[in-house]
Amino acid sequence: MVATQPPMHLSGHCVCPSDPQFVEEKGIRAEDLVIGALESAFQECDEVIGRELEASGQAGGCTALVAVSLQGKLYVANAGDSRAILVRRNEVRPLSSEFTPETERQRIQQLAFVYPELLAGEFTRLEFPRRLKGDDLGQKVLFRDHHMSGWSYKCVEKSDLKYPLIHGQGRQARLLGTLAVSRGLGDHQLRVLDTNIQLKPFLLSVPQVTVLDVDQLEPQEDDLVVMATDGLWDVLSNEQVARLVRSFLPGNQEDPHRFSELAQMLIHSTQGKDDNPTQEGQVSYDDISVFVIPLHSQHQGRSSH
């Protein structure tokens, strides 16, 4: 995986004379293999979860956010609505994107277009600005289909009055009226309430992978990555988290546990406590997990790992 030009065959043997040329023409790099390994790992993990849940008769699912440090680069893989950000003295950079029914509208609609049986005649794949009513029949209203980035008008038919495939806006958006995320692990048995319609075909386990070249950053002592579940980001923006990080670290330079304590402080800042030192004043009622990862120490010790 770490070769400058990865071999076509993992054995290293050149089975076909054109193999090296293919790899070169496609521009396949070691970085692409790390990304592919993460994508494959998420899918394999999802399959394992599915078998274990079926064997135990349990149900459930989760989102997943992974960071891998390898050869001076940080690979961040995300499936769901958790988030990772890079915080530096003068910079805040998102290292992942959330996957919600809204952000993946076109993929979800296209799947319903190709396999309409997935909706069992209960839903419409078309997107309208709101849930249509009987009074809208015959009217020309705004709509979008899977092939559209813009909006157009169509004459409302009876089939358009079905429940929308993606309903609601912003944080209230739901896939088939059930899930607030469009990627994640598990939920193999999850069905729409009072129907036999499965959500799993729409719930993708493949992550999006972002690559950060840590060597090029020349990390400073307080440069770090914050990874957290959606409970944190529901009430705090990237900039608010960065401000809390920058206010906390200078006064705790000698504390060997400062990064763990910073993670706890970030969680505490979402609880609306009277003794909240951040005074952000917002409350999250969700479960929250936070990791604070210093880049400087990782960079310094990279060659020894």
PDB file of all heavy atoms in Angstrom, residues 156-175:
ATOM      1  N   VAL A 156     -49.902  19.248 -10.337  1.00  0.00           N
ATOM      2  CA  VAL A 156     -50.041  18.273  -9.262  1.00  0.00           C
ATOM      3  C   VAL A 156     -51.059  17.204  -9.624  1.00  0.00           C
ATOM      4  O   VAL A 156     -52.198  17.489  -9.997  1.00  0.00           O
ATOM      5  CB  VAL A 156     -50.455  18.966  -7.946  1.00  0.00           C
ATOM      6  CG1 VAL A 156     -50.683  17.929  -6.849  1.00  0.00           C
ATOM      7  CG2 VAL A 156     -49.402  19.963  -7.524  1.00  0.00           C
ATOM      8  N   GLU A 157     -50.609  15.928  -9.510  1.00  0.00           N
ATOM      9  CA  GLU A 157     -51.471  14.781  -9.739  1.00  0.00           C
ATOM     10  C   GLU A 157     -51.732  14.077  -8.412  1.00  0.00           C
ATOM     11  O   GLU A 157     -51.108  14.371  -7.396  1.00  0.00           O
ATOM     12  CB  GLU A 157     -50.800  13.820 -10.726  1.00  0.00           C
ATOM     13  CG  GLU A 157     -50.403  14.474 -12.043  1.00  0.00           C
ATOM     14  CD  GLU A 157     -49.539  13.557 -12.890  1.00  0.00           C
ATOM     15  OE1 GLU A 157     -49.647  12.319 -12.728  1.00  0.00           O
ATOM     16  OE2 GLU A 157     -48.739  14.075 -13.696  1.00  0.00           O
ATOM     17  N   LYS A 158     -52.641  13.122  -8.437  1.00  0.00           N
ATOM     18  CA  LYS A 158     -53.012  12.424  -7.209  1.00  0.00           C
ATOM     19  C   LYS A 158     -51.820  11.703  -6.585  1.00  0.00           C
ATOM     20  O   LYS A 158     -51.665  11.667  -5.360  1.00  0.00           O
ATOM     21  CB  LYS A 158     -54.140  11.429  -7.492  1.00  0.00           C
ATOM     22  CG  LYS A 158     -54.774  10.862  -6.219  1.00  0.00           C
ATOM     23  CD  LYS A 158     -56.000  10.017  -6.545  1.00  0.00           C
ATOM     24  CE  LYS A 158     -56.643   9.499  -5.258  1.00  0.00           C
ATOM     25  NZ  LYS A 158     -57.843   8.664  -5.560  1.00  0.00           N
ATOM     26  N   SER A 159     -50.946  11.145  -7.427  1.00  0.00           N
ATOM     27  CA  SER A 159     -49.777  10.417  -6.911  1.00  0.00           C
ATOM     28  C   SER A 159     -48.808  11.339  -6.177  1.00  0.00           C
ATOM     29  O   SER A 159     -48.019  10.888  -5.346  1.00  0.00           O
ATOM     30  CB  SER A 159     -49.051   9.711  -8.054  1.00  0.00           C
ATOM     31  OG  SER A 159     -48.606  10.654  -9.019  1.00  0.00           O
ATOM     32  N   ASP A 160     -48.863  12.647  -6.471  1.00  0.00           N
ATOM     33  CA  ASP A 160     -47.970  13.602  -5.808  1.00  0.00           C
ATOM     34  C   ASP A 160     -48.389  13.886  -4.369  1.00  0.00           C
ATOM     35  O   ASP A 160     -47.619  14.479  -3.599  1.00  0.00           O
ATOM     36  CB  ASP A 160     -47.932  14.928  -6.588  1.00  0.00           C
ATOM     37  CG  ASP A 160     -47.393  14.757  -7.994  1.00  0.00           C
ATOM     38  OD1 ASP A 160     -46.484  13.923  -8.166  1.00  0.00           O
ATOM     39  OD2 ASP A 160     -47.874  15.449  -8.904  1.00  0.00           O
ATOM     40  N   LEU A 161     -49.591  13.456  -3.987  1.00  0.00           N
ATOM     41  CA  LEU A 161     -50.082  13.708  -2.639  1.00  0.00           C
ATOM     42  C   LEU A 161     -49.573  12.671  -1.636  1.00  0.00           C
ATOM     43  O   LEU A 161     -49.810  12.809  -0.431  1.00  0.00           O
ATOM     44  CB  LEU A 161     -51.618  13.710  -2.627  1.00  0.00           C
ATOM     45  CG  LEU A 161     -52.307  14.716  -3.558  1.00  0.00           C
ATOM     46  CD1 LEU A 161     -53.824  14.643  -3.386  1.00  0.00           C
ATOM     47  CD2 LEU A 161     -51.815  16.133  -3.312  1.00  0.00           C
ATOM     48  N   LYS A 162     -48.868  11.657  -2.139  1.00  0.00           N
ATOM     49  CA  LYS A 162     -48.308  10.656  -1.231  1.00  0.00           C
ATOM     50  C   LYS A 162     -47.241  11.292  -0.344  1.00  0.00           C
ATOM     51  O   LYS A 162     -46.705  12.347  -0.651  1.00  0.00           O
ATOM     52  CB  LYS A 162     -47.696   9.501  -2.032  1.00  0.00           C
ATOM     53  CG  LYS A 162     -48.714   8.703  -2.833  1.00  0.00           C
ATOM     54  CD  LYS A 162     -48.030   7.631  -3.659  1.00  0.00           C
ATOM     55  CE  LYS A 162     -49.030   6.849  -4.482  1.00  0.00           C
ATOM     56  NZ  LYS A 162     -48.369   5.853  -5.360  1.00  0.00           N
ATOM     57  N   TYR A 163     -46.939  10.591   0.740  1.00  0.00           N
ATOM     58  CA  TYR A 163     -45.933  11.103   1.676  1.00  0.00           C
ATOM     59  C   TYR A 163     -44.595  11.206   0.953  1.00  0.00           C
ATOM     60  O   TYR A 163     -44.195  10.297   0.225  1.00  0.00           O
ATOM     61  CB  TYR A 163     -45.807  10.160   2.877  1.00  0.00           C
ATOM     62  CG  TYR A 163     -45.238  10.810   4.106  1.00  0.00           C
ATOM     63  CD1 TYR A 163     -46.052  11.533   4.971  1.00  0.00           C
ATOM     64  CD2 TYR A 163     -43.888  10.715   4.399  1.00  0.00           C
ATOM     65  CE1 TYR A 163     -45.535  12.130   6.110  1.00  0.00           C
ATOM     66  CE2 TYR A 163     -43.351  11.304   5.531  1.00  0.00           C
ATOM     67  CZ  TYR A 163     -44.184  12.016   6.382  1.00  0.00           C
ATOM     68  OH  TYR A 163     -43.658  12.613   7.503  1.00  0.00           O
ATOM     69  N   PRO A 164     -43.869  12.308   1.123  1.00  0.00           N
ATOM     70  CA  PRO A 164     -42.599  12.485   0.401  1.00  0.00           C
ATOM     71  C   PRO A 164     -41.497  11.574   0.919  1.00  0.00           C
ATOM     72  O   PRO A 164     -41.408  11.297   2.118  1.00  0.00           O
ATOM     73  CB  PRO A 164     -42.254  13.965   0.634  1.00  0.00           C
ATOM     74  CG  PRO A 164     -42.984  14.342   1.866  1.00  0.00           C
ATOM     75  CD  PRO A 164     -44.225  13.511   1.902  1.00  0.00           C
ATOM     76  N   LEU A 165     -40.652  11.136  -0.003  1.00  0.00           N
ATOM     77  CA  LEU A 165     -39.493  10.303   0.325  1.00  0.00           C
ATOM     78  C   LEU A 165     -38.611  10.998   1.355  1.00  0.00           C
ATOM     79  O   LEU A 165     -38.111  10.374   2.292  1.00  0.00           O
ATOM     80  CB  LEU A 165     -38.705  10.026  -0.960  1.00  0.00           C
ATOM     81  CG  LEU A 165     -37.361   9.313  -0.860  1.00  0.00           C
ATOM     82  CD1 LEU A 165     -37.524   7.936  -0.250  1.00  0.00           C
ATOM     83  CD2 LEU A 165     -36.729   9.200  -2.245  1.00  0.00           C
ATOM     84  N   ILE A 166     -38.405  12.302   1.184  1.00  0.00           N
ATOM     85  CA  ILE A 166     -37.657  13.107   2.157  1.00  0.00           C
ATOM     86  C   ILE A 166     -38.597  14.198   2.654  1.00  0.00           C
ATOM     87  O   ILE A 166     -39.069  15.021   1.872  1.00  0.00           O
ATOM     88  CB  ILE A 166     -36.403  13.734   1.521  1.00  0.00           C
ATOM     89  CG1 ILE A 166     -35.469  12.642   1.018  1.00  0.00           C
ATOM     90  CG2 ILE A 166     -35.687  14.640   2.524  1.00  0.00           C
ATOM     91  CD1 ILE A 166     -34.312  13.150   0.184  1.00  0.00           C
ATOM     92  N   HIS A 167     -38.867  14.179   3.937  1.00  0.00           N
ATOM     93  CA  HIS A 167     -39.853  15.109   4.495  1.00  0.00           C
ATOM     94  C   HIS A 167     -39.205  15.997   5.548  1.00  0.00           C
ATOM     95  O   HIS A 167     -38.419  15.534   6.373  1.00  0.00           O
ATOM     96  CB  HIS A 167     -41.004  14.325   5.125  1.00  0.00           C
ATOM     97  CG  HIS A 167     -42.090  15.204   5.683  1.00  0.00           C
ATOM     98  ND1 HIS A 167     -42.835  16.047   4.901  1.00  0.00           N
ATOM     99  CD2 HIS A 167     -42.540  15.367   6.954  1.00  0.00           C
ATOM    100  CE1 HIS A 167     -43.710  16.689   5.659  1.00  0.00           C
ATOM    101  NE2 HIS A 167     -43.546  16.299   6.910  1.00  0.00           N
ATOM    102  N   GLY A 168     -39.532  17.296   5.506  1.00  0.00           N
ATOM    103  CA  GLY A 168     -39.011  18.228   6.496  1.00  0.00           C
ATOM    104  C   GLY A 168     -37.786  18.958   5.986  1.00  0.00           C
ATOM    105  O   GLY A 168     -37.202  18.618   4.954  1.00  0.00           O
ATOM    106  N   GLN A 169     -37.392  19.966   6.735  1.00  0.00           N
ATOM    107  CA  GLN A 169     -36.256  20.808   6.354  1.00  0.00           C
ATOM    108  C   GLN A 169     -35.229  20.837   7.486  1.00  0.00           C
ATOM    109  O   GLN A 169     -35.559  20.686   8.663  1.00  0.00           O
ATOM    110  CB  GLN A 169     -36.729  22.248   6.059  1.00  0.00           C
ATOM    111  CG  GLN A 169     -37.823  22.341   5.008  1.00  0.00           C
ATOM    112  CD  GLN A 169     -37.342  21.974   3.623  1.00  0.00           C
ATOM    113  OE1 GLN A 169     -36.189  22.216   3.272  1.00  0.00           O
ATOM    114  NE2 GLN A 169     -38.215  21.376   2.830  1.00  0.00           N
ATOM    115  N   GLY A 170     -33.956  21.059   7.123  1.00  0.00           N
ATOM    116  CA  GLY A 170     -32.899  21.228   8.113  1.00  0.00           C
ATOM    117  C   GLY A 170     -32.775  20.011   9.013  1.00  0.00           C
ATOM    118  O   GLY A 170     -32.783  18.870   8.558  1.00  0.00           O
ATOM    119  N   ARG A 171     -32.671  20.261  10.323  1.00  0.00           N
ATOM    120  CA  ARG A 171     -32.512  19.158  11.283  1.00  0.00           C
ATOM    121  C   ARG A 171     -33.758  18.297  11.388  1.00  0.00           C
ATOM    122  O   ARG A 171     -33.728  17.200  11.949  1.00  0.00           O
ATOM    123  CB  ARG A 171     -32.157  19.714  12.656  1.00  0.00           C
ATOM    124  CG  ARG A 171     -30.794  20.405  12.708  1.00  0.00           C
ATOM    125  CD  ARG A 171     -30.561  21.013  14.065  1.00  0.00           C
ATOM    126  NE  ARG A 171     -29.348  21.824  14.108  1.00  0.00           N
ATOM    127  CZ  ARG A 171     -29.054  22.673  15.058  1.00  0.00           C
ATOM    128  NH1 ARG A 171     -29.899  22.819  16.075  1.00  0.00           N
ATOM    129  NH2 ARG A 171     -27.933  23.383  15.040  1.00  0.00           N
ATOM    130  N   GLN A 172     -34.889  18.804  10.889  1.00  0.00           N
ATOM    131  CA  GLN A 172     -36.133  18.053  10.960  1.00  0.00           C
ATOM    132  C   GLN A 172     -36.340  17.142   9.763  1.00  0.00           C
ATOM    133  O   GLN A 172     -37.322  16.396   9.706  1.00  0.00           O
ATOM    134  CB  GLN A 172     -37.320  19.025  11.064  1.00  0.00           C
ATOM    135  CG  GLN A 172     -37.232  20.025  12.210  1.00  0.00           C
ATOM    136  CD  GLN A 172     -37.023  19.345  13.546  1.00  0.00           C
ATOM    137  OE1 GLN A 172     -37.693  18.356  13.851  1.00  0.00           O
ATOM    138  NE2 GLN A 172     -36.114  19.872  14.359  1.00  0.00           N
ATOM    139  N   ALA A 173     -35.438  17.192   8.779  1.00  0.00           N
ATOM    140  CA  ALA A 173     -35.587  16.366   7.583  1.00  0.00           C
ATOM    141  C   ALA A 173     -35.468  14.893   7.955  1.00  0.00           C
ATOM    142  O   ALA A 173     -34.586  14.495   8.722  1.00  0.00           O
ATOM    143  CB  ALA A 173     -34.537  16.746   6.543  1.00  0.00           C
ATOM    144  N   ARG A 174     -36.360  14.068   7.407  1.00  0.00           N
ATOM    145  CA  ARG A 174     -36.361  12.639   7.709  1.00  0.00           C
ATOM    146  C   ARG A 174     -36.462  11.828   6.418  1.00  0.00           C
ATOM    147  O   ARG A 174     -37.215  12.177   5.504  1.00  0.00           O
ATOM    148  CB  ARG A 174     -37.546  12.273   8.621  1.00  0.00           C
ATOM    149  CG  ARG A 174     -37.449  12.857  10.026  1.00  0.00           C
ATOM    150  CD  ARG A 174     -36.320  12.239  10.825  1.00  0.00           C
ATOM    151  NE  ARG A 174     -36.256  12.723  12.195  1.00  0.00           N
ATOM    152  CZ  ARG A 174     -35.574  13.797  12.571  1.00  0.00           C
ATOM    153  NH1 ARG A 174     -34.918  14.520  11.665  1.00  0.00           N
ATOM    154  NH2 ARG A 174     -35.545  14.168  13.835  1.00  0.00           N
ATOM    155  N   LEU A 175     -35.705  10.741   6.374  1.00  0.00           N
ATOM    156  CA  LEU A 175     -35.755   9.804   5.268  1.00  0.00           C
ATOM    157  C   LEU A 175     -36.912   8.837   5.503  1.00  0.00           C
ATOM    158  O   LEU A 175     -36.950   8.151   6.533  1.00  0.00           O
ATOM    159  CB  LEU A 175     -34.424   9.048   5.180  1.00  0.00           C
ATOM    160  CG  LEU A 175     -34.317   7.903   4.185  1.00  0.00           C
ATOM    161  CD1 LEU A 175     -34.555   8.378   2.759  1.00  0.00           C
ATOM    162  CD2 LEU A 175     -32.959   7.221   4.297  1.00  0.00           C
TER     163      LEU A 175
END
